[in-house]
Amino acid sequence: IDPPRSGAQTVSCGGKILTFAGYAEEVVDDAVERDVVNDLWEFVPYQKDTASWGWKQVIAAGEDNTPGPRLAFAMAAMPSASNAFVIGGWDPMVPGTGGKILDDVSMFDVQTMQWSQPKSTDDSSSTTVPGGPTSRHVAVALSEDVICVHNHRC
């Protein structure tokens, strides 16, 4: 991934290895410059029949529902489905503002290559993190329809 990342999350989903967001870090004049990003990358493993391997940027198809830039978020993928979820996090925004803790949930479908915001069970609004905005948390898919989120409020 160019430039290198820190604070990103990586999951295995639908037969692909995906890395999302974090700090893009570049050394400029002996100092590290960091920009918070919201790009998505796929790792293409080495195969004998092709010379093409490594990280490639994923450009989502369709309507642009890509989640915003973030750090300290969680990411989980359903065990046998093609959906990866980005959950909450922190958008530092303008330096010195303290940023914003996020409560959004976004889903990337590996088959359609599209981002979306899942709807709540009553289909009235986009799903948000239970208990409100959170960062520095973890998430894991327990089954095809359950993701467990653990944060500091537990």
Side-chain angles (χ1 to χ4, degrees):
I1 299 175
D2 189 34
R5 298 300 152 93
S6 66
Q9 292 286 325
T10 300
V11 295
S12 174
C13 180
K16 297 181 183 292
I17 299 170
L18 302 172
T19 295
F20 180 71
Y23 273 127
E25 300 182 341
E26 294 186 86
V27 177
V28 178
D29 298 327
D30 295 328
V32 176
E33 291 188 5
R34 293 182 174 146
D35 291 311
V36 180
V37 295
N38 65 334
D39 51 2
L40 181 66
W41 293 79
E42 175 188 354
F43 183 75
V44 179
Y46 174 78
Q47 297 175 6
K48 288 183 181 181
D49 60 340
T50 178
S52 169
W53 68 281
W55 290 100
K56 70 174 186 175
Q57 189 169 6
V58 175
I59 305 300
E63 188 176 333
D64 186 15
N65 289 314
T66 304
R70 64 193 61 219
L71 300 166
F73 64 101
M75 198 168 177
M78 296 313 212
S80 63
S82 62
N83 300 321
F85 293 84
V86 169
I87 303 164
W90 173 57
D91 178 358
M93 303 169 84
V94 177
T97 65
K100 179 180 180 181
I101 305 297
L102 305 167
D103 69 350
D104 60 336
V105 176
S106 295
M107 180 180 77
F108 184 74
D109 185 319
V110 172
Q111 292 179 342
T112 65
M113 303 299 278
Q114 291 184 322
W115 285 102
S116 64
Q117 281 66 47
K119 297 293 182 191
S120 61
T121 53
D122 65 5
D123 224 19
S124 64
S125 61
S126 294
T127 300
T128 57
V129 175
T134 193
S135 69
R136 296 167 184 83
H137 54 295
V138 294
V140 65
L142 299 177
S143 67
E144 292 307 317
D145 57 359
V146 175
I147 294 175
C148 177
V149 177
H150 177 76
N151 63 26
H152 58 279
R153 292 191 298 251
C154 295

